[in-house]
Amino acid sequence: MMSRKNKIFLFLSFTTMLASCKNYLDIAPKEFYTENDLFADVAQAEKEVAVLYGDLNGDFDGTADGSILSLVCDEGYPTSLQAKASKYISGGWTSTNDDMRNFDQMYREIRIGYHFLENIDKVPIKNDNQTTQYKTVIIPRYKGEVKFLIAYYYFLLFEKYGGVPIVDHYYTVNQNDEALKLPRATVDKTVSFITKLCDEAAAALPQDYADQDIGRVTKGAALALKAKVLLYAASPLFNGGEIDNQAVTVDGTSVKNTILGVKNLDGTLIFNTTYNKEKWKLAIDAIKAVMDLGIYDLRADRAELFYKRDYKEVIWFRQGGPSNNWEANTMPNGTDYGGTGAISTPQEMVDAYEMKNGLAITTPGSGYSETGYVDTLMRVFRNRQWQTVKTTISKMYFNRDPRFYTDQYFNQMPLLGRNVITEFTKALGTNQDGWGKTGQSTRTGYYVQKWNDPTQNLKDRPNTNYRNYPFIRYADVLLWYAEALNEYYGPVTDAYTALNRVRSRVGMPGLPLTTADNTQQGLRKRIQNERRIELAYEGARYYDIRRWLIATAPEQMKMTGMNIMEGGDKFYARIPLLSGTRIFPVNYYLSPIPSSETAIMPTLTQNYGWGR
């Protein structure tokens, strides 16, 4: 008999053969051969669950295109200007031209989930010896997993579009016309619908699994998703469009009258234009429920989270590996490294890393300097072993937050057999990584290191990495807690405690350190920057700056890098990328519903500024 572990991998591989639906209400069961085949026995029916897991790759999956969320916000910049991400920062984004996960794809998953829920109890279990186990344990758990997965796909819709049509059952072909008339639900109804599914899922799911089932949804994942949804619902984009009781304006116009002013045909406002502080309390309670489980903690070595599997800090994730996708796509592209350097880091992201003493580089007394060089020791995996080597680096990279040295590749940083070279030079042939090398090279003077195994040599050995791609991890939860507490109560002790747990893991000093840190506004900036650093290149920043309504702030719009056309001292000078700023009209705060969907659904209201 096939083991349950082998069944799971068989089901996941099956998903690569499945066809996609044309749009989100395409009812014909194209995912499988026939419905009769699907529900002939429980082993066939389980394939629907596998589809929902197998389609979790999303906008952030370790490939060049899968890094798009980093490339279209202020933490990354596309090395190749022909990359799909370019249109999002240069004004080419339209309702017919969106390469990120879309409306129809999410509803396809939701449709599959409801099809499973409404049919699984009818499916015969051919092996009599398994009947009791399936009826009392496996099928009830499957229902919890599928309810969670439906909730998760709804969350992906919510964070992109706001309120969306609520499909709460499987629509047959005969009900297609009815489904096409569904209007968008309000933000509050969408949030309530998702959190109710999370509650039902949590009640049916275990806290952990035996080894052969690790990777399935847990009770903690369901509670964490509920907390994340409620945190988003309390944030300015979905909660009145205000910061500190002041309406946010973009180009002189309040967002209450633009992106939040969208109505259904019957005049119902889809978004909230009035702030409700109590939504932060709902988020606090939900986040605390995750923390109170007492089963999650921070991994001692943060860097290992991204190239090794972790089940203590990582709460909801997609299993990956063995694969060298990240190394191949983000390592520097000298021929001896073999990477393509798909993500260049803007100087503004580099500047966001604090000094080791916990002060921002712009704070007087931080010790930051942009002139001169310093001899220092750095640890590197070289000659198949860890070594401490001497290197000379610019003072601007000295004594920074330790995460800087595990997240970024910078000029003269030791890597494998030599130092990274991102400045312009013609003297070193192909073993260089800056603009002096023809082909794709860093546009900013930096490459992204996070996610890369420091022992990985693409030219030297096959990759054996098994890693998890986290959707939610415990550091995220702690930072949610700090944020929600600060927004509801102000800078209370528990907010600092949660924030400082994340900082202390990497050796950063605890807050408060300055007078501003003792204020709600000052602590808010610290929390936002902590999220920027701790969760860099994990798909969080893109949505954070939107839900906070800060994406159009000058510090987020600016784009510079090092002077990659020069070497030596001249390299260390900020120069503009493209026009020096991103294109970010107010409608970019929410994604466009594809015009292919609005064309067939007369009641489907488009988000502001995207046409029909």
Side-chain angles (χ1 to χ4, degrees):
M1 182 182 298
M2 185 182 296
S3 71
R4 287 189 48 73
K5 180 177 181 181
N6 288 335
K7 283 184 183 180
I8 291 170
F9 285 111
L10 174 64
F11 298 155
L12 291 176
S13 65
F14 176 85
T15 64
T16 62
M17 299 184 291
L18 304 180
S20 298
C21 296
K22 184 177 181 182
N23 61 61
Y24 91 88
L25 288 172
D26 187 354
I27 303 300
K30 296 178 182 177
E31 289 78 24
F32 307 95
Y33 298 110
T34 70
E35 266 189 82
N36 289 337
D37 289 340
L38 179 62
F39 290 113
D41 66 74
V42 73
Q44 285 291 98
E46 287 173 311
K47 291 175 181 177
E48 283 200 301
V49 183
V51 169
L52 295 176
Y53 277 109
D55 286 349
L56 286 171
N57 288 2
D59 303 315
F60 193 81
D61 63 6
T63 65
D65 287 341
S67 60
I68 195 168
L69 287 182
S70 290
L71 296 173
V72 298
C73 68
D74 56 359
E75 67 183 10
Y77 186 78
T79 294
S80 170
L81 294 184
Q82 287 72 45
K84 289 181 179 180
S86 296
K87 63 173 168 280
Y88 295 92
I89 60 175
S90 59
W93 189 12
T94 70
S95 62
T96 62
N97 189 15
D98 190 353
D99 291 309
M100 291 189 277
R101 276 193 166 231
N102 254 331
F103 203 77
D104 55 341
Q105 187 178 359
M106 299 301 98
Y107 276 104
R108 171 183 176 269
E109 312 300 340
I110 291 165
R111 170 184 167 273
I112 292 170
Y114 278 116
H115 190 252
F116 177 86
L117 291 177
E118 293 174 19
N119 288 280
I120 187 61
D121 287 328
K122 308 170 191 175
V123 178
I125 300 167
K126 293 185 176 180
N127 187 332
D128 292 340
N129 294 329
Q130 294 181 326
T131 299
T132 299
Q133 178 75 354
Y134 265 94
K135 293 288 188 183
T136 62
V137 178
I138 298 175
I139 289 177
R141 193 199 72 210
Y142 276 162
K143 290 180 179 178
E145 291 178 66
V146 170
K147 286 181 178 180
F148 169 89
L149 290 164
I150 291 172
Y152 183 70
Y153 283 114
Y154 260 114
F155 170 71
L156 296 181
L157 286 165
F158 169 63
E159 68 178 350
K160 283 193 71 172
Y161 305 108
V164 293
I166 292 177
V167 179
D168 60 1
H169 63 278
Y170 179 74
Y171 280 87
T172 66
V173 174
N174 293 333
Q175 296 170 317
N176 197 30
D177 288 342
E178 174 189 345
L180 288 172
K181 296 177 183 177
L182 289 172
R184 293 175 67 176
T186 65
V187 162
D188 287 347
K189 286 184 178 179
T190 303
V191 168
S192 294
F193 183 75
I194 298 172
T195 55
K196 182 175 182 292
L197 282 171
C198 289
D199 285 337
E200 293 173 0
L205 291 170
Q207 288 194 0
D208 53 33
Y209 290 93
D211 288 347
Q212 67 268 23
D213 282 323
I214 287 177
R216 293 186 176 276
V217 182
T218 62
K219 179 185 184 74
L223 293 178
L225 178 60
K226 176 182 178 180
K228 186 171 186 176
V229 173
L230 291 173
L231 182 90
Y232 272 54
S235 301
L237 177 60
F238 301 111
N239 190 15
E242 300 177 5
I243 299 176
D244 294 331
N245 299 315
Q246 296 293 316
V248 175
T249 61
V250 178
D251 296 329
T253 303
S254 171
V255 297
K256 293 177 184 285
N257 301 322
T258 53
I259 55 173
L260 303 188
V262 176
K263 298 178 181 179
N264 280 327
L265 295 181
D266 64 0
T268 302
L269 271 171
I270 296 171
F271 296 88
N272 295 306
T273 55
T274 302
Y275 175 66
N276 181 354
K277 182 180 178 180
E278 294 306 310
K279 290 185 177 182
W280 288 110
K281 183 61 167 63
L282 293 175
I284 289 169
D285 294 342
I287 298 164
K288 191 65 163 59
V290 180
M291 298 168 67
D292 286 347
L293 289 174
I295 58 176
Y296 302 113
D297 202 354
L298 300 179
R299 187 183 183 102
D301 188 332
R302 171 183 175 270
E304 288 182 349
L305 277 169
F306 308 105
Y307 59 87
K308 294 183 179 181
R309 284 189 173 162
D310 177 272
Y311 302 106
K312 191 72 171 178
E313 179 171 344
V314 177
I315 300 173
W316 167 228
F317 58 92
R318 179 178 64 84
Q319 286 185 330
S323 170
N324 63 3
N325 277 348
W326 271 103
E327 285 83 3
N329 282 292
T330 60
M331 283 186 72
N333 65 350
T335 55
D336 52 341
Y337 291 152
T340 59
I343 309 177
S344 296
T345 305
Q347 187 63 43
E348 287 69 32
M349 180 64 190
V350 171
D351 292 345
Y353 288 86
E354 298 169 359
M355 299 298 288
K356 192 173 181 180
N357 58 19
L359 299 179
I361 65 170
T362 55
T363 301
S366 69
Y368 178 73
S369 174
E370 292 191 359
T371 59
Y373 301 87
V374 62
D375 293 333
T376 188
L377 298 176
M378 297 190 70
R379 193 164 177 259
V380 63
F381 191 79
R382 185 166 285 180
N383 298 323
R384 299 185 182 277
Q385 61 183 336
W386 285 102
Q387 299 180 20
T388 300
V389 301
K390 183 178 179 180
T391 186
T392 301
I393 61 175
S394 167
K395 285 185 178 179
M396 67 193 305
Y397 309 135
F398 186 59
N399 273 345
R400 301 294 288 271
D401 182 327
R403 289 170 290 193
F404 174 68
Y405 304 105
T406 58
D407 289 358
Q408 308 293 342
Y409 295 120
F410 56 90
N411 197 41
Q412 297 303 324
M413 175 183 180
L415 174 62
L416 297 175
R418 61 177 175 86
N419 292 356
V420 174
I421 306 168
T422 60
E423 62 184 297
F424 184 82
T425 178
K426 295 181 179 179
L428 295 176
T430 57
N431 284 345
Q432 64 187 69
D433 317 293
W435 199 246
K437 178 181 179 296
T438 59
Q440 292 185 345
S441 299
T442 176
R443 301 272 173 166
T444 64
Y446 307 95
Y447 292 106
V448 172
Q449 180 186 182
K450 188 177 180 180
W451 290 96
N452 290 344
D453 182 346
T455 71
Q456 176 69 40
N457 186 335
L458 294 171
K459 299 289 186 178
D460 185 59
R461 68 176 177 86
N463 181 68
T464 56
N465 286 5
Y466 288 81
R467 66 186 98 199
N468 294 329
Y469 295 97
F471 299 127
I472 301 174
R473 57 186 178 93
Y474 195 56
D476 203 1
V477 173
L478 290 170
L479 294 175
W480 292 344
Y481 195 53
E483 178 183 350
L485 287 171
N486 185 53
E487 295 301 330
Y488 191 72
Y489 295 110
V492 294
T493 299
D494 285 351
Y496 291 112
T497 300
L499 175 62
N500 288 337
R501 282 192 65 188
V502 178
R503 293 172 63 85
S504 65
R505 187 250 297 268
V506 294
M508 288 295 286
L511 301 177
L513 291 172
T514 69
T515 302
D517 295 344
N518 290 300
T519 67
Q520 184 182 54
Q521 292 78 11
L523 182 55
R524 179 188 297 142
K525 288 184 177 181
R526 283 285 200 166
I527 292 167
Q528 290 179 351
N529 198 68
E530 191 68 23
R531 287 186 61 80
R532 184 178 190 178
I533 300 305
E534 176 62 28
L535 301 170
Y537 313 105
E538 296 180 50
R541 180 69 176 173
Y542 176 87
Y543 289 109
D544 274 349
I545 61 176
R546 281 159 173 76
R547 69 181 177 90
W548 293 328
L549 288 176
I550 65 169
T552 52
E555 58 268 30
Q556 265 68 67
M557 296 290 287
K558 189 176 180 183
M559 293 194 303
T560 63
M562 293 286 94
N563 190 356
I564 57 174
M565 299 304 295
E566 296 286 353
D569 292 345
K570 292 181 179 180
F571 168 78
Y572 298 101
R574 290 171 169 79
I575 61 171
L577 304 173
L578 291 180
S579 63
T581 62
R582 295 177 182 273
I583 301 296
F584 199 103
V586 67
N587 57 306
Y588 275 29
Y589 273 112
L590 293 162
S591 296
I593 296 172
S595 57
S596 59
E597 304 301 325
T598 58
I600 62 172
M601 296 187 67
T603 59
L604 189 60
T605 306
Q606 179 62 278
N607 277 328
Y608 175 85
W610 294 106
R612 180 66 189 162

